[in-house]
Amino acid sequence: MYGLITYLRNKLFDCGVLKTKTHSLLTVSIGNLKVGGTGKTPFVEHLLGSLASEYNIAVVSRGYGRKSKGLKIVSPCGSAEEFGDEPLQMSKKFPDVLFVVCKDRNTAIDHIEQHYPAINLVLLDDAYQHRYVARDINILLSEYTRPFFSDRVMPFGLLREYPQGSKRADYIVITKCPNLTEQQRKDFAEHLNPLPNQKVFFSQIRYKEPQLAEDKNTTCDLKTHDVILISGIANPKPLVKYLKSQTRLLKTITFGDHHAFSNKDIKRITTIYENTKTENTILLTTEKDASRLLHFPLPLYVLPIETTTNQYPQNNQTITNQIKQDLCTIKSTKQQNTSNPKSMQHHKQE
């Protein structure tokens, strides 16, 4: 039933019954077909780190898990309850980027156009199914260990829509890849079977040195410490595997994705820590979880991650270089369309 509803909804967009709104600002959408766990937030951060020097960027998202309503401008000093954990996490890392949370992305972009004239690029976070907004580049993420072409629609699998929804993508990024040989990349790309116009990228995550949550200048070496992990992310398996390869993982305290930590949870974590710790034990968590564990009563270390992405089959072409090239062409087309409003009707509809 879920798959049928999304299928019919997409058909209504495809035939123009449901309308897509085009904006003058350049827009890049990042999303997935799967519910959670594709590495979307570190990928958005990767784009911000690479594009912010050339563009004045705004990131628009729904702000999943927040308790507030309406449109909000994210403040790094705020809370996950007000803005959502992922926008808050990113705003702390990129204080010069404008982060806007709003259920209606068109309303958010209209607000940006009216009140922030310096902005010239919008990243739509988790908007692959939000087709009311036209986008200039549509990026689809898919996890290497569970690609969309091997998955099924909920409740039989983890997909939000049928795999053929991937045809709307301009770029397909395979995330959380292990070290792949050229033959493995080729075999995967053949299973992926992209359209001729679709660009394919393979992406890896690299874990960095743990940092103290209250003082990022204070770091520690995993190899000289035991670890108790606090995890509230969709798929902690790659993280757990990495930690086991680097250190002695004494305990993993697992919560659901976007979990709102209560006083009871914090008391439980504290008790487990006191009963399990050794002389050199640290409490470790993810960046996303840390945004929901503010004012934690014990020293808490955060494990930063970064993303690298290369195009297939060209190993030397990064996704950000490709985006810059495509945006340059798209910008020129948009400027021509601005001088001829009727031509805007033919702009790509997603």
Side-chain angles (χ1 to χ4, degrees), residues 30 41-60 86-87 89-91 93-99 121-123 125 320 323:
I30 303 100
T41 299
F43 181 79
V44 173
E45 292 180 349
H46 172 62
L47 295 187
L48 289 173
S50 303
L51 297 174
S53 61
E54 297 187 30
Y55 292 93
N56 295 320
I57 303 175
V59 178
V60 172
E86 291 167 348
Q89 169 192 324
M90 290 189 286
S91 72
K93 296 178 74 170
F94 299 93
D96 295 330
V97 173
L98 176 68
F99 291 87
L121 175 63
V122 173
L123 299 185
D125 184 9
T320 49
I323 288 174

Side-chain angles (χ1 to χ4, degrees), residues 69-221:
K69 303 293 183 181
L71 185 149
K72 297 285 184 181
I73 304 299
V74 180
S75 166
C77 300
S79 66
E81 288 77 12
E82 186 177 9
F83 303 122
D85 51 8
E86 291 167 348
L88 181 64
Q89 169 192 324
M90 290 189 286
S91 72
K92 291 178 181 292
K93 296 178 74 170
F94 299 93
D96 295 330
V97 173
L98 176 68
F99 291 87
V100 181
V101 294
C102 186
K103 184 178 180 180
D104 187 327
R105 271 77 158 191
N106 279 316
T107 297
I109 297 174
D110 288 341
H111 181 85
I112 293 167
E113 290 177 330
Q114 292 174 13
H115 299 281
Y116 298 90
I119 297 296
N120 53 16
L121 175 63
V122 173
L123 299 185
L124 299 171
D125 184 9
D126 197 15
Y128 197 79
Q129 285 76 34
H130 195 89
R131 297 187 62 184
Y132 289 102
V133 180
R135 64 288 314 270
D136 298 300
I137 299 176
N138 209 18
I139 302 175
L140 174 65
L141 308 184
S142 183
E143 192 176 7
Y144 178 80
T145 57
R146 190 164 182 168
F148 62 81
F149 55 76
S150 298
D151 209 342
R152 302 175 67 187
V153 174
M154 297 187 296
F156 306 105
L158 295 177
L159 297 185
R160 304 175 182 182
E161 57 176 297
Y162 289 114
Q164 56 259 41
S166 65
K167 295 179 181 179
R168 300 197 306 274
D170 300 300
Y171 300 0
I172 300 176
V173 181
I174 311 305
T175 63
K176 302 183 181 180
C177 295
N179 290 323
L180 300 175
T181 65
E182 205 56 38
Q183 186 61 47
Q184 286 174 318
R185 283 157 50 96
K186 181 179 178 182
D187 292 342
F188 192 97
E190 288 177 354
H191 282 96
L192 185 62
N193 192 27
L195 297 174
N197 66 296
Q198 292 180 317
K199 301 178 180 72
V200 177
F201 299 82
F202 287 89
S203 173
Q204 290 181 307
I205 280 179
R206 185 171 75 87
Y207 295 96
K208 302 172 73 174
E209 197 171 44
Q211 304 170 344
L212 192 64
E214 296 299 321
D215 178 13
K216 288 183 169 46
N217 293 320
T218 301
T219 61
C220 76
D221 184 355

Side-chain angles (χ1 to χ4, degrees), residues 327-345:
L327 286 179
C328 185
T329 302
I330 292 165
K331 181 179 179 181
S332 176
T333 302
K334 278 199 165 187
Q335 289 174 341
Q336 293 175 11
N337 288 340
T338 301
S339 62
N340 182 13
K342 289 185 178 180
S343 65
M344 292 293 284
Q345 299 172 11

